[in-house]
């Protein structure tokens, strides 16, 4: 069966520090991969999605970047965190809209 | 372009009462429709989905939803609320052009004893 792993679960980082969040999928190949952010009390904001290795599409301009170095690995990064980067970050994978998305357990990022 | 609207950002019910969470969509073609649930500090979990066939879809935890094409709706219901149903619920519609899901803004369900 397919599983998605996302870590860390919580993270507290100072303003200006770098960020690296990792997401891996097991049990499938060539998945579509997504990074979402939830700010406090707000809905889901799609940040990045990827349909293959090295293929990244950005939905909104921001302080973050994403990379897909391997088929089932998706990384969210920042060189210098801002206070506004705080939020709950979710990774998801899909084989196509017919199947819906499967989400990871999320990372709570607090920038102080 | 596809879009989805969830009416009511907060819904409160008493334990044992009917749960009704509303979702309306806009799509130029028959869509795939989904309901997800999110418990605090967790990821989203699929409750149920409609793709084709029977318009009344049953999901996990006693939830069901009915696809009504004439009303462009996919409301989520549960006959009797339980305290453990307190969570945030998201409706989503498929976008075939981008092969992505379009999510609503979510409805937070509170259940009172």
């Amino acid at each position: 069966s397919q599983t998605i792993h996302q870590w860390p679960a919580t993270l507290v980082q100072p303003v200006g520090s770098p960020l690296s969040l990792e997401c891996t999928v097991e049990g499938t190949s060539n998945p579509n991969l997504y990074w979402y952010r939830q700010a406090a009390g707000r809905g889901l904001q799609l940040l990045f999605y990827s349909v293959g290795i090295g293929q990244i599409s950005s939905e909104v301009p921001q302080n973050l970047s994403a990379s897909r170095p391997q088929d089932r690995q998706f990384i969210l990064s920042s060189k210098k965190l801002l206070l506004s980067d705080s939020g709950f970050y979710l990774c998801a994978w899909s084989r196509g809209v017919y199947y819906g998305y499967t989400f990871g357990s999320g990372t709570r990022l607090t920038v102080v | 372009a596809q879009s989805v609207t969830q009416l009511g950002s907060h819904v409160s019910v008493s334990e044992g009462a009917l749960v009704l969470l509303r979702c309306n969509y806009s799509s130029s073609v028959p869509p795939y429709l989904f309901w997800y649930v999110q418990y605090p500090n967790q990821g989203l979990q699929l409750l149920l989905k409609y793709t084709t066939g029977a318009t009344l879809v049953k999901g996990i935890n006693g939830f069901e939803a009915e696809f009504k094409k004439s009303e462009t709706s996919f409301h989520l219901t549960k006959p009797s609320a339980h305290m453990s149903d307190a969570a945030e619920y998201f409706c989503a519609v498929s976008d075939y052009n981008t092969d992505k899901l379009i999510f609503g803004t979510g409805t937070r369900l509170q259940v009172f004893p």
Side-chain angles (χ1 to χ4, degrees), chain A residues 32 34 36 38 42-44 46 49 59 88 90 94-106 108, chain B residues 32 34 36 38 41-46 49 51-52 88 90 94-96 98-101 103-106:
Chain A
N32 296 333
Y34 309 85
Y36 283 86
Q38 278 182 299
R42 302 184 67 177
L44 295 164
L46 179 61
Y49 71 96
E59 289 293 296
F88 192 56
L90 289 161
S94 173
R95 287 181 289 169
V97 288
Y98 176 88
Y99 303 97
Y101 293 173
T102 300
F103 285 84
S105 54
R108 173 75 58 193
Chain B
Y32 301 145
F34 303 80
Y36 286 85
Q38 184 182 30
N41 292 311
Q42 295 186 27
L44 279 69
Q45 179 184 4
L46 180 66
K49 68 176 184 179
T51 53
T52 58
E88 185 138 26
F90 291 91
S94 56
D95 183 334
Y96 301 118
T98 62
D99 198 29
K100 290 189 284 189
L101 294 184
F103 286 88
T105 52

Side-chain angles (χ1 to χ4, degrees), chain B residues 1-24:
Chain B
Q2 285 77 7
S3 65
V4 59
T5 301
Q6 291 186 241
L7 294 176
S9 58
H10 290 81
V11 171
S12 298
V13 300
S14 298
E15 193 172 20
L18 171 72
V19 175
L20 171 61
L21 305 182
R22 299 178 184 274
C23 173
N24 288 88

